[in-house]
Amino acid sequence: MSAPIDPGEAPLLSVERLTRFYGERLGCRDVSFDLYPGEVLAVVGESGSGKTTLLNCLAARMKLSSGAVRYRMRDGEMRDLAALGEAERRFLMRTDWGFVHQNPADGLRMNVSAGANVGERLMAIGERNYGEIRGSAHDWLSRVEVPTDRIDDSPRAFSGGMRQRLQIARNLVTAPRLVFMDEPTGGLDVSVQARLLDLIRALVAELRMAALVVTHDLAVARLLSHRIMVMKEGRVVEEGLTDRVLDDPQRPYTQLLVSSILQV
Amino acid sequence: MSTAQEKPETPYNFAYLDEQTKRMIRRAILKAVAIPGYQVPFASREMPMPYGWGTGGVQVTASLIGPDDVLKVIDQGADDTTNAVSIRSFFAKVAGVKTTTHTKEASLIQTRHRVPEMPLSENQILVYQVPIPEPLRFLEPRETETRLMHALEEYGLMHVKLYEDIARHGHIATTYAYPVKVEGRYVMDPSPIPKFDNPKLTNSPALQLFGAGREKRIYALPPYTRVESLDFEDHPFRVQEFSEPCGLCGASGVYLDEVILDDHGGRMFVCSDTDHCEGRREAGHRGHLAGAMGAPGAEAAE
Ligand SMILES: [Zn+2]
């Protein structure tokens, strides 16, 4: 995939020497990159590579030890996430950002209906018309291919793939500009994974969202991302356009990763 | 309102609680009055009655009551239930105050689950017994999170609950403990009063105080506070409507309880507020079943 980047456009997210320690132990170190509107960046690596730490720091779910993460707000101003107040940070997270968890139960309210799950963000930003909220929920369920007659069902009654599609709808209903995804197809059957990846790819392109996808699965990275960052022991060892990195890896570790996984 | 009290003749301090505890509760009340609808933590004391018997309300009453106060206690609108009678006799004993069943005579009214029908005045205080003060708990059990949600005015979840009601029942099916927003800021649980009573909360001349004993919270509506019931534009808040007037006093526009009269499906609707009903009957009002056998309060009206 080629990135739909406008060369004159400013980055949406700008990361500078992001470092996180857990006490003495390194989580990740000196990670720097820019993410542009509409661009999908995959962060790949084995477990323990620091990719999940990086994700949590970027999504303001964890404090940095040093470095900075800046985000371009809807008003165009670049803001340091560490300097945002709690209220601003939470508002950002439920409007302009999405976060798709590997386990849908972590990102859904399992004790309310599918429709309420999709409508919650709208209600949180002040939507007070039941008919319109329900209309949006209906629309989003159909966009993520959940049968709309399941709108009043509990997500507990949904299959794993359907729960994940519901979680995506719940996140996208406020048209976020940036979505974080943590192993979005992990734990699903291969056939279900393929359908979900097609859906995510189509939605990301259609809505021109930027996305940061953390995965250990290079096939997921190849299908979804424009650019790829390979992490090992807390550091970025290689980065570049996805096709270039996967077809012509430069670093020995990336070569090993590509050969061992793509041979499966 | 009590100040430092003279030495009581009972083995208890005046109104049971020691003066230091009363001062602590009054400080919590003052803070609650200063921030309408905000839940103020307080060090709830053991009271000589079980939780669920209104120990939060009893502590608020005990910290406010003075020798000149006239106390009324109601439970679901009635003055004569075990709960109401025992709280009334408790204060008669430990504070020696005058008690009444007449709303208009009372300076302090402690209530469980109702607001009196008669409009209250600036000279009255209404104390509610509260079992669960946190309106967000239904969907968010974590206390740390609900506190943050109040602090940041993140109240979307309240509408999620109402959305679920409409999706399931076609209308907002919540009929009691119906959530309100206070002065456009804090979302508050009005305690398990019927939503019928919600409109009485707004702009009331009386001070309204809410005490939750087990949960150790006090909150307040100062006089003339704006209180709005949450709703949707296309599903506006509505109170219950009754198809017939009170069978005993003929009142309409009041909250009615259904009373089963016999084993053959016989039933009647009567005022939940027994003082209101009795007052109307004393004034000569009669419902269509005023002579019905076994009707509660029928004897008292004679
Ligand atoms: Zn009546």
Side-chain angles (χ1 to χ4, degrees):
Chain A
M1 289 171 82
S2 60
I5 296 173
D6 174 348
E9 203 162 22
L12 189 60
L13 189 74
S14 184
V15 181
E16 194 187 327
R17 304 196 65 176
L18 187 159
T19 298
R20 165 76 196 197
F21 281 91
Y22 301 95
E24 295 284 293
R25 194 167 61 81
L26 175 66
C28 60
R29 182 168 215 164
D30 286 339
V31 179
S32 300
F33 67 92
D34 288 334
L35 184 68
Y36 287 83
E39 186 185 26
V40 180
L41 173 67
V43 180
V44 303
E46 298 167 289
S47 101
S49 62
K51 62 186 193 300
T52 302
T53 299
L54 175 63
L55 175 71
N56 286 327
C57 288
L58 293 174
R61 299 159 69 89
M62 192 183 272
K63 284 203 161 79
L64 317 190
S65 301
S66 65
V69 181
R70 294 186 185 83
Y71 181 71
R72 186 150 55 85
M73 309 297 272
R74 287 198 188 201
D75 64 5
E77 195 190 342
M78 215 59 189
R79 298 281 302 274
D80 184 340
L81 292 182
L84 290 185
E86 180 78 356
E88 274 182 307
R89 189 180 67 82
R90 286 170 65 113
F91 185 74
L92 189 68
M93 289 174 91
R94 64 172 189 262
T95 54
D96 214 20
W97 289 4
F99 197 106
V100 177
H101 296 260
Q102 174 173 4
N103 178 3
D106 294 339
L108 292 171
R109 287 197 190 276
M110 298 302 281
N111 55 353
V112 302
S113 68
N117 264 285
V118 179
E120 180 176 341
R121 277 180 164 224
L122 296 174
M123 293 183 251
I125 58 174
E127 177 61 70
R128 291 292 175 263
N129 186 293
Y130 174 82
E132 285 171 15
I133 293 163
R134 196 164 172 82
S136 297
H138 199 275
D139 179 41
W140 270 101
L141 290 180
S142 89
R143 287 177 84 166
V144 298
E145 299 161 17
V146 170
T148 52
D149 61 359
R150 306 290 304 268
I151 189 167
D152 294 328
D153 289 359
S154 160
R156 292 184 202 284
F158 285 10
S159 67
M162 208 148 80
R163 285 182 187 184
Q164 197 56 298
R165 282 179 271 134
L166 178 63
Q167 190 191 185
I168 290 166
R170 172 179 162 84
N171 273 280
L172 299 194
V173 67
T174 53
R177 294 186 303 158
L178 172 60
V179 179
F180 299 97
M181 300 188 196
D182 185 11
E183 305 277 8
T185 59
L188 297 174
D189 293 344
V190 175
S191 62
V192 177
Q193 277 192 23
R195 195 171 149 211
L196 186 61
L197 285 170
D198 285 343
L199 176 73
I200 292 172
R201 191 158 73 148
L203 286 171
V204 165
E206 184 189 336
L207 301 168
R208 208 169 170 267
M209 288 181 301
L212 191 128
V213 183
V214 163
T215 181
H216 71 283
D217 187 339
L218 296 187
V220 168
R222 187 188 283 280
L223 203 61
L224 288 183
S225 71
H226 307 114
R227 214 148 48 95
I228 200 168
M229 229 161 57
V230 181
M231 290 190 70
K232 177 176 187 273
E233 292 166 2
R235 293 167 189 268
V236 176
V237 294
E238 181 160 0
E239 66 169 305
L241 296 176
T242 299
D243 290 344
R244 200 283 294 156
V245 172
L246 295 183
D247 294 339
D248 182 22
Q250 303 295 303
R251 309 290 301 176
Y253 176 75
T254 313
Q255 290 165 1
L256 191 69
L257 207 62
V258 168
S259 62
S260 63
I261 291 180
L262 295 188
Q263 274 171 16
V264 172
Chain B
M1 231 86 357
S2 72
T3 51
Q5 302 299 333
E6 64 276 20
K7 201 140 181 73
E9 288 156 24
T10 64
Y12 311 101
N13 189 34
F14 180 83
Y16 188 78
L17 294 175
D18 62 82
E19 294 303 314
Q20 194 184 344
T21 298
K22 285 191 220 169
R23 275 194 295 275
M24 175 273 290
I25 293 172
R26 285 182 210 131
R27 276 196 296 272
I29 291 170
L30 285 172
K31 183 168 179 184
V33 167
I35 316 171
Y38 172 75
Q39 298 168 47
V40 180
F42 79 109
S44 183
R45 294 288 194 263
E46 291 293 324
M47 295 301 285
M49 58 194 74
Y51 287 125
W53 278 61
T55 55
V58 167
Q59 290 176 81
V60 169
T61 298
S63 72
L64 294 179
I65 202 164
D68 299 331
D69 271 311
V70 179
L71 178 69
K72 172 181 164 80
V73 181
I74 49 173
D75 178 7
Q76 314 257 21
D79 298 85
D80 59 357
T81 68
T82 311
N83 188 310
V85 169
S86 63
I87 291 173
R88 206 161 51 228
S89 61
F90 173 75
F91 281 110
K93 183 177 169 193
V94 301
V97 295
K98 198 176 155 208
T99 63
T100 183
T101 59
H102 297 309
T103 301
K104 63 176 178 296
E105 289 175 5
S107 59
L108 200 51
I109 303 171
Q110 183 172 328
T111 180
R112 175 174 175 268
H113 300 189
R114 269 316 305 280
V115 178
E117 300 293 356
M118 174 180 289
L120 301 178
S121 73
E122 288 181 355
N123 300 319
Q124 295 178 303
I125 298 177
L126 184 59
V127 177
Y128 296 76
Q129 300 172 199
V130 179
I132 299 170
E134 180 47 73
L136 294 163
R137 189 168 302 164
F138 171 77
L139 289 169
E140 179 51 73
R142 291 170 297 173
E143 165 97 24
T144 48
E145 184 67 13
T146 55
R147 282 208 209 184
L148 197 57
M149 290 160 86
H150 283 293
L152 302 176
E153 281 190 80
E154 288 184 8
Y155 290 130
L157 269 189
M158 295 310 304
H159 279 85
V160 169
K161 184 173 186 282
L162 299 179
Y163 170 98
E164 287 291 87
D165 252 16
I166 302 170
R168 269 193 222 135
H169 307 285
H171 60 275
I172 298 176
T174 301
T175 53
Y176 63 93
Y178 191 106
V180 296
K181 195 165 205 183
V182 179
E183 285 291 339
R185 177 58 181 86
Y186 284 98
V187 166
M188 185 191 99
D189 184 329
S191 87
I193 58 173
K195 68 176 179 178
F196 182 90
D197 285 340
N198 275 26
K200 296 183 183 128
L201 268 54
T202 194
N203 208 32
S204 170
L207 170 62
Q208 301 173 81
L209 300 172
F210 299 77
R214 190 180 44 228
E215 305 257 349
K216 303 177 169 58
R217 292 288 184 280
I218 287 171
Y219 49 102
L221 298 172
Y224 306 107
T225 296
R226 180 162 56 96
V227 179
E228 296 154 294
S229 301
L230 302 183
D231 61 5
F232 287 103
E233 294 161 1
D234 46 348
H235 286 267
F237 173 79
R238 283 202 186 91
V239 298
Q240 293 100 327
E241 285 171 13
F242 298 93
S243 54
E244 52 186 275
C246 171
L248 297 177
C249 76
S252 55
V254 298
Y255 191 74
L256 302 177
D257 287 333
E258 186 178 351
V259 178
I260 306 296
L261 294 175
D262 53 42
D263 298 337
H264 316 295
R267 54 177 203 160
M268 66 188 294
F269 287 93
V270 298
C271 289
S272 143
D273 183 336
T274 52
D275 171 60
H276 185 72
C277 198
E278 283 162 21
R280 282 179 53 84
R281 279 179 278 146
E282 278 163 20
H285 297 281
R286 283 287 178 276
H288 61 292
L289 292 169
M293 287 294 291
E299 314 86 312
E302 302 311 320

